[in-house]
Amino acid sequence: MPMPQTEAPGRLQAELLARGVRMTRQRRIILGLMETADQHLDAGMILRKARKLDPSINRVTVYRTLRLLKRHGLVDELDLLHLRGDGHYYERHPQREHLHMACLRCGKVMEFESSLFERLKGQVERDCGFHIVVTRVEMGGYCADCRR
Amino acid sequence: MPMPQTEAPGRLQAELLARGVRMTRQRRIILGLMETADQHLDAGMILRKARKLDPSINRVTVYRTLRLLKRHGLVDELDLLHLRGDGHYYERHPQREHLHMACLRCGKVMEFESSLFERLKGQVERDCGFHIVVTRVEMGGYCADCRR
DNA sequence: TCGCCTCCTGAAACCACGTTGCAAAAAGAC
DNA sequence: GTCTTTTTGCAACGTGGTTTCAGGAGGCGA
């Protein structure tokens, strides 16, 4: 499940520093691996990867860092329809929002950008007087490969 | 957070019977209150309501019934962006899918149907060769009332 | 109507994910 | 380097959901 690498590395760290957040060794590691990830990561995966770089990192720190990033709107939280379990998956907040397609058979997660979705958001804002801050679109189904 | 009452009461029960599922007193109660609910319910709310009708109902039975309904595609699962906690909310699977708008300030959940969303699904099916089975659209933001 | 097989239920224990409280450690401003 | 403030690791806790298993009920066929 490849994830487009659209942002400059180090951006998460730069954003936090610009907001006056203290930069620790642990945070640098976690931010770094989220920036170079080629798939959506959950807290457990992040912890395992982080421990390879620094075995003393605690899972609490991972959760706290994820919460920090979420609060600052720097990552989006997904659950990918619980196909792979109960937890949450994280991705850097993209400049252009996309929707997620998760294959019910092979588990692959694909992303898709569409101007129709931008129009849909515009319609919601106009027709409902609702000011959208975050969106989350997840579709479950069968990918081209699994349909044979 | 009103929920449009678009389906005939008893439909969930009829669907399960048609599929050869055994109908118990407990299931009748749970299905009945999901059909007449005027808002999205989570497992705890369903348990509390069910116990008013039959105090011996166990939470395990609620979870098992929800899983049964989910497996049969009769209810959709939402988490409404965790605005109200970690759990999941359930609604009867509607014939016309809609998106959910959750207000970050007052917690109100609104629903919205749009032909643009139908077109978006068509685009995904065509352009990605992805056969959509379930969708889930959640938007967080500020409702007309809370924007003053 | 009864009997029987099967499926379902309640109870308790369990599990996964995430959070909290607190003392020790580290950032970073001076 | 010193001092203040924030962050960390650890252990204990909370919540939402699942498993195991013995007993109980559904509903079919006679």
Side-chain angles (χ1 to χ4, degrees):
Chain A
M1 52 218 85
M3 213 168 72
Q5 203 59 28
T6 49
E7 311 221 359
R11 198 188 137 238
L12 286 180
Q13 194 169 316
E15 288 274 356
L16 285 182
L17 284 171
R19 287 162 156 91
V21 171
R22 198 170 284 187
M23 195 49 53
T24 64
R25 180 175 39 85
Q26 295 88 331
R27 285 182 179 165
R28 253 187 294 269
I29 289 174
I30 294 169
L31 301 182
L33 57 88
M34 293 193 72
E35 274 161 346
T36 58
D38 59 350
Q39 58 172 310
H40 301 97
L41 301 173
D42 65 15
M45 295 158 84
I46 292 170
L47 178 61
R48 253 172 284 127
K49 281 169 179 280
R51 281 207 159 138
K52 287 190 183 146
L53 300 172
D54 176 349
S56 76
I57 286 187
N58 192 275
R59 66 200 197 92
V60 178
T61 302
V62 171
Y63 284 114
R64 284 197 275 234
T65 304
L66 287 172
R67 220 188 331 170
L68 178 75
L69 290 167
K70 223 171 20 171
R71 262 206 316 274
H72 284 275
L74 297 174
V75 301
D76 290 332
E77 188 178 64
L78 307 168
D79 63 20
L80 300 177
L81 299 160
H82 303 297
L83 262 52
R84 294 188 263 168
D86 279 341
H88 296 119
Y89 297 86
Y90 298 89
E91 67 178 4
R92 281 182 303 169
H93 185 74
Q95 48 279 78
R96 300 185 58 192
E97 290 188 297
H98 51 246
L99 41 93
H100 299 89
M101 286 128 37
C103 181
L104 298 171
R105 185 156 172 279
C106 68
K108 188 167 52 191
V109 177
M110 285 151 293
E111 303 186 341
F112 186 67
E113 279 182 15
S114 166
S115 60
L116 269 178
F117 183 53
E118 299 305 315
R119 285 177 57 195
L120 177 61
K121 288 199 294 182
Q123 189 186 39
V124 168
E125 298 233 341
R126 247 179 294 108
D127 293 6
C128 309
F130 187 86
H131 177 236
I132 298 173
V133 177
V134 293
T135 68
R136 178 161 154 183
V137 184
E138 302 180 344
M139 299 183 170
Y142 295 96
C143 72
D145 293 341
C146 289
R147 294 168 72 187
R148 236 139 333 251
Chain B
M1 49 219 85
M3 213 169 71
Q5 202 60 28
T6 49
E7 310 221 358
R11 196 187 140 238
L12 286 181
Q13 194 169 318
E15 289 273 356
L16 285 183
L17 284 171
R19 286 162 156 91
V21 171
R22 195 171 285 184
M23 195 47 53
T24 64
R25 180 175 40 85
Q26 293 88 333
R27 285 182 179 166
R28 252 187 295 270
I29 289 173
I30 294 169
L31 301 182
L33 59 87
M34 291 193 73
E35 273 161 346
T36 58
D38 61 349
Q39 59 172 312
H40 300 100
L41 301 173
D42 66 15
M45 295 158 84
I46 292 170
L47 178 61
R48 253 171 284 127
K49 281 169 179 277
R51 281 208 157 136
K52 288 193 181 143
L53 301 171
D54 176 348
S56 75
I57 285 188
N58 192 277
R59 66 199 200 95
V60 179
T61 301
V62 171
Y63 283 116
R64 284 198 274 234
T65 304
L66 288 172
R67 220 188 330 169
L68 178 75
L69 290 167
K70 222 171 20 171
R71 262 206 316 274
H72 285 276
L74 297 173
V75 301
D76 289 333
E77 189 179 64
L78 306 167
D79 64 20
L80 301 177
L81 299 161
H82 303 297
L83 261 53
R84 292 188 265 169
D86 279 342
H88 295 120
Y89 297 85
Y90 299 89
E91 67 178 3
R92 282 183 303 169
H93 185 74
Q95 51 279 77
R96 300 186 56 193
E97 291 188 296
H98 50 248
L99 41 92
H100 300 88
M101 284 130 34
C103 181
L104 299 171
R105 185 156 172 278
C106 68
K108 188 165 55 190
V109 177
M110 286 151 292
E111 302 185 344
F112 186 66
E113 279 182 15
S114 165
S115 60
L116 269 179
F117 183 52
E118 300 303 318
R119 285 177 58 195
L120 178 60
K121 289 199 294 181
Q123 188 185 41
V124 168
E125 298 233 340
R126 248 179 295 108
D127 294 6
C128 309
F130 188 86
H131 177 237
I132 298 172
V133 176
V134 294
T135 67
R136 179 161 155 184
V137 184
E138 302 179 344
M139 298 182 170
Y142 296 96
C143 72
D145 293 342
C146 290
R147 294 167 72 186
R148 238 140 333 253

